[in-house]
Amino acid sequence: MTRWLAEYAWLPDHAEPTPDVLIEAEAGRIAAVTPLVGGGAAPAGVEVLGDAVRLPGLTLPGLANAHSHAFHRALRGRTHGGRGDFWSWRDVMYDVAARLDPDSYLALARAAYAEMALAGITCVGEFHYLHHGPEGRPYADPNAMSAALVEAAAHAGIRLTLLDTAYLTASVDGAELVGTQRRFGDGDALRWVERVDAFRPENDHARRGAAIHSVRAVPAEQLATVAGWADRNGVPLHVHLSEQPAENDACRAVHGCTPTRLLADHGVLGPHTTAVHATHPTSADVALLGDSRTGVCLCPTTERDLADGIGPARRMAEAGSPVSLGSDSHAVVDLFEEARAVELDERLRTRRRGHFSAAELVTAATVAGHAALGWGDAGRLSAGDRADLVTVRLDSARTAGVPPVGAFFAATAADVTHVVVDGRTVVADGRHRTVDVPAELRDAIREVTS
Ligand SMILES: [Zn+2]
């Protein structure tokens, strides 16, 4: 049994943190969570042993990063200076993609995931589409890139859902993949199924999932093949949706409907599906997503960076879509920033304050994200759940004097001091226990950009 004594802990269904909480874990699971009411005095029957690790500050459940493209980490600071938009950014991204192979991807993803661990992220959803070698030639193991990502997450000490992405065409009207895009393609959805069926990560920390890159990249008549595979295997299905108005326009021109309508008509929406971004949905789209209980994963720092716009987060939540969060392009890896941006962007748009409570933002960053990635037993500090703990200091220059309930509006990833994943300590005193994160990021990025 491992014991921690949290100065404050954010317990499930609580509007604010609880002081003095004893958390006990065994075999990677939380065994008991006991508030020591009355300033540290144990209630009858609870013995606080001297071996309890004290966690000063606020302890949260594990944070889930529900949308990641690991290799985009190499682009940070390289695409921000000039003008341009999503599409010009994408050209630079393709240059990096063209350089990666399974070895360099392992090194880059390991460093990127270790940065996530430092930020309190205990689980990542990797929306993975860089499948094949140059010119689209499969590697000897057609899932070599997937295997590199699974191994990278193991080294970094976090869990991973590999959202294996079908990326078959270059545009809504079915144009062929060209240039670097050929590395993404399997030809058609049946061949995508054949490849993903053959991939079975055997480690406990990794699970499979599926993704449709977007309505640009999977022809309408093949959407159901991907959705059916996810359904048969009981795994999550993710899809980029209406990130750009141009995607809506192209879909209307070819199919006479919005991307959301197209997905709905082909059986893609539902409670196991997560729409990523959903920045430009119509009111009817919001209703389709909400009524089907399709989740939405917002990535505000990327949407900001790429000048995408601001999605109707509150309206989608009200309509019935669970909200999760992702760092997507990793311009920023900080789920505190993503979480508060959901509220702050709504304020900018509506010129009113108070759309999401602090507890709702915590839910988005923790239990909702884990659920979107197929880990229904993580993201809460409660007995039986996976023993993930993320402690945020309340004595840094940013957080000193901040009440614990306000931590999500003050803390940054740099304030995370202690991270436990499945009962194992991955970060202690703000340091990753096995990865020299800055050095590995520097070397891995140099390898694919110089
Ligand atoms: Zn994305």
Side-chain angles (χ1 to χ4, degrees):
M1 186 80 80
T2 312
R3 294 173 170 81
W4 297 270
L5 191 54
E7 185 184 3
Y8 294 94
W10 210 312
L11 304 182
D13 307 317
H14 281 53
E16 54 185 83
T18 301
D20 300 320
V21 177
L22 179 68
I23 301 165
E24 298 170 277
E26 193 153 34
R29 298 266 167 184
I30 297 174
V33 177
T34 313
L36 305 180
V37 283
V46 173
E47 189 188 358
V48 180
L49 297 181
D51 64 356
V53 177
R54 288 180 186 273
L55 299 174
L58 169 63
T59 294
L60 300 161
L63 307 181
N65 187 358
H67 190 64
S68 160
H69 309 284
F71 76 88
H72 293 192
R73 176 61 181 82
L75 302 172
R76 187 185 297 174
R78 288 190 155 73
T79 63
H80 306 271
R83 297 176 69 87
D85 57 12
F86 171 87
W87 309 101
S88 56
W89 168 86
R90 195 178 71 159
D91 290 339
V92 182
M93 183 265 281
Y94 284 173
D95 289 344
V96 171
R99 307 269 305 262
L100 286 161
D101 61 28
D103 290 337
S104 56
Y105 207 0
L106 170 61
L108 177 55
R110 165 185 154 103
Y113 293 157
E115 181 189 0
M116 291 183 199
L118 282 179
I121 290 162
T122 55
C123 186
V124 62
E126 179 66 29
F127 198 106
H128 167 53
Y129 54 82
L130 183 55
H131 303 303
H132 302 297
E135 275 108 58
R137 279 191 305 277
Y139 290 106
D141 169 5
N143 288 302
M145 293 296 244
S146 301
L149 292 164
V150 168
E151 191 179 346
H155 292 179
I158 67 175
R159 291 190 301 275
L160 171 133
T161 298
L162 189 89
L163 300 161
D164 194 303
T165 305
Y167 195 130
L168 307 171
T169 56
S171 61
V172 180
D173 57 10
E176 261 182 51
L177 301 178
V178 292
T180 305
Q181 289 177 333
R182 292 163 67 193
R183 299 189 63 180
F184 312 159
D186 291 296
D188 60 35
L190 287 175
R191 276 186 278 170
W192 173 85
V193 166
E194 207 174 296
R195 184 176 54 74
V196 297
D197 258 342
F199 185 60
R200 312 234 167 196
E202 288 182 4
N203 318 40
D204 286 345
H205 77 290
R207 287 185 180 167
R208 300 189 301 176
I212 289 163
H213 179 274
S214 59
V215 298
R216 297 196 304 279
V218 177
E221 69 278 7
Q222 298 185 49
L223 290 168
T225 304
V226 181
W229 183 86
D231 197 40
R232 278 198 305 286
N233 288 281
V235 301
L237 173 64
H238 287 218
V239 53
H240 287 132
L241 182 65
S242 292
E243 180 175 6
Q244 294 290 322
E247 177 185 309
N248 291 359
D249 296 343
C251 192
R252 280 202 185 88
V254 173
H255 299 295
C257 64
T258 64
T260 304
R261 179 82 251 173
L262 190 72
L263 297 179
D265 288 349
H266 289 83
V268 174
L269 303 186
H272 301 296
T273 299
T274 296
V276 180
H277 302 302
T279 309
H280 300 284
T282 63
S283 296
D285 293 341
V286 171
L288 279 172
L289 294 169
D291 289 347
S292 60
R293 297 294 179 263
T294 300
V296 291
C297 177
L298 307 176
C299 309
T301 67
T302 293
E303 291 149 11
R304 179 192 293 173
D305 184 59
L306 295 179
D308 288 342
I310 302 169
R314 186 71 244 177
R315 280 203 292 129
M316 293 194 288
E318 295 288 334
S321 291
V323 173
S324 57
L325 303 170
S327 66
D328 189 4
S329 69
H330 313 316
V332 173
V333 171
D334 186 337
L335 284 199
F336 301 99
E337 178 62 25
E338 303 293 346
R340 61 180 162 257
V342 172
E343 164 67 18
L344 298 177
D345 286 356
E346 284 279 19
R347 293 183 187 182
L348 279 177
R349 204 156 56 91
T350 60
R351 289 180 286 162
R352 282 191 299 108
R353 309 177 82 225
H355 303 271
F356 288 87
S357 69
E360 283 178 301
L361 299 180
V362 172
T363 296
T366 57
V367 67
H370 278 102
L373 296 175
W375 304 84
D377 57 351
R380 284 169 304 244
L381 296 178
S382 66
D385 260 33
R386 288 170 178 274
D388 294 353
L389 307 178
V390 175
T391 303
V392 184
R393 61 190 295 182
L394 295 175
D395 63 352
S396 74
R398 291 163 295 276
T399 56
V402 171
V405 69
F408 256 73
F409 281 92
T412 70
D415 296 313
V416 171
T417 53
H418 205 84
V419 180
V420 174
V421 183
D422 289 328
R424 287 186 306 118
T425 301
V426 175
V427 173
D429 298 325
R431 287 216 161 76
H432 198 288
R433 294 188 77 172
T434 56
V435 180
D436 181 342
V437 180
E440 293 207 12
L441 281 168
R442 180 197 61 211
D443 294 347
I445 291 172
R446 185 186 291 150
E447 175 79 23
V448 295
T449 57
S450 58

